[in-house]
Amino acid sequence: NAGVTQTPKFQVLKTGQSMTLQCAQDMNHNSMYWYRQDPGMGLRLIYYSASEGTTDKGEVPNGYNVSRLNKREFSLRLESAAPSQTSVYFCASSDRQGPSYEQYFGPGTRLTVT
Amino acid sequence: QKEVEQNSGPLSVPEGAIASLNCTYSDRGSQSFFWYRQYSGKSPELIMSIYSNGDKEDGRFTAQLNKASQYVSLLIRDSQPSDSATYLCAAFQGAQKLVFGQGTRLTINP
């Protein structure tokens, strides 16, 4: 099993350009998440999808859109990139484990917006 | 106030000693807690989860939870240089979401 995979690994965009970050999981998990990680800020939730067909905003959704394409895939779109969106983006997936949901992370996408 | 607080460190510990990492949380409704290890340039890796008050041991790692004090800790016994990483504490908030602390950077000195 590959677990959670993300593409691309690295990306450089100019301000105003758009792009889509792709995420797929092969663990048959119901829930998927997009986070960004900035120095000193920890992991912040952008959007999540509790199950196929649903998406909800997290802590920092502005400037992003998501699509839960099917149970395996959850994409994150930047419509008009801004330098403030320079960050490392992680996708995660989870399913119920006992009383809670353990999340497993993909390898990340390093995005630079100039 | 951030919902999950950690001392950002760096925390330096000699090889072979016990490393103690601490975390406090503000939401009394949180029931489940997790420790992730993140090496520089890599993604977070789940190393421990704890749901009940008390201690949970897994190899060299022990997680401790005190819900009355809203306090979670991670002990690493016989610390090795390979344990040098940032350790993230997370609390399960319901709606299938985790809230993460900022992380504590741990350095094990040979």
Side-chain angles (χ1 to χ4, degrees):
Chain A
N1 285 355
V4 181
T5 57
Q6 293 182 237
T7 55
K9 287 188 168 49
F10 301 93
Q11 184 72 48
V12 178
L13 291 178
K14 290 187 178 356
T15 297
Q17 287 185 318
S18 62
M19 79 161 296
T20 301
L21 281 65
Q22 306 285 357
C23 174
Q25 52 93 7
D26 63 3
M27 296 178 281
N28 202 35
H29 286 169
N30 284 309
S31 303
M32 297 185 73
Y33 309 81
W34 277 105
Y35 293 91
R36 61 178 289 174
Q37 188 173 39
D38 303 293
M41 300 293 290
L43 282 160
R44 294 185 291 170
L45 183 64
I46 304 171
Y47 271 94
Y48 70 103
S49 171
S51 60
E52 188 179 354
T54 69
T55 60
D56 285 286
K57 294 178 181 178
E59 183 184 353
V60 288
N62 290 346
Y64 305 95
N65 285 302
V66 291
S67 295
R68 183 74 183 266
L69 304 168
N70 48 55
K71 191 171 184 178
R72 290 188 62 247
E73 298 172 289
F74 188 38
S75 63
L76 178 72
R77 183 159 178 84
L78 287 69
E79 290 291 352
S80 179
S84 61
Q85 294 178 305
T86 294
S87 189
V88 181
Y89 292 85
F90 290 106
C91 177
S93 71
S94 74
D95 218 347
R96 194 168 191 92
Q97 299 287 338
S100 185
Y101 291 79
E102 296 180 348
Q103 291 188 13
Y104 298 90
F105 285 80
T109 295
R110 291 184 176 275
L111 175 67
T112 301
V113 183
T114 61
Chain B
Q1 182 189 0
K2 202 163 167 36
E3 295 176 57
V4 176
E5 297 267 5
Q6 295 180 256
N7 187 327
S8 60
L11 176 65
S12 289
V13 172
E15 184 176 357
I18 295 175
S20 177
L21 301 154
N22 305 313
C23 170
T24 58
Y25 61 95
S26 60
D27 183 358
R28 283 199 172 272
S30 297
Q31 294 294 316
S32 308
F33 303 88
F34 304 88
W35 284 99
Y36 286 80
R37 177 177 62 199
Q38 187 175 25
Y39 293 115
S40 181
K42 301 295 186 183
S43 59
E45 173 193 8
L46 179 66
I47 56 171
M48 290 288 285
S49 57
I50 186 165
Y51 310 125
S52 305
N53 272 332
D55 295 0
K56 179 182 177 183
E57 189 174 316
D58 184 0
R60 295 186 297 112
F61 297 98
T62 299
Q64 299 175 316
L65 174 59
N66 184 324
K67 291 184 180 179
S69 300
Q70 295 177 245
Y71 181 90
V72 192
S73 64
L74 179 70
L75 302 178
I76 306 174
R77 288 182 301 282
D78 188 23
S79 297
Q80 303 296 311
S82 59
D83 294 324
S84 297
T86 296
Y87 289 80
L88 302 168
C89 174
F92 179 62
Q93 266 209 327
Q96 302 167 33
K97 292 191 291 185
L98 292 184
V99 176
F100 286 84
Q102 291 180 300
T104 298
R105 189 153 55 93
L106 173 66
T107 300
I108 307 300
N109 301 309

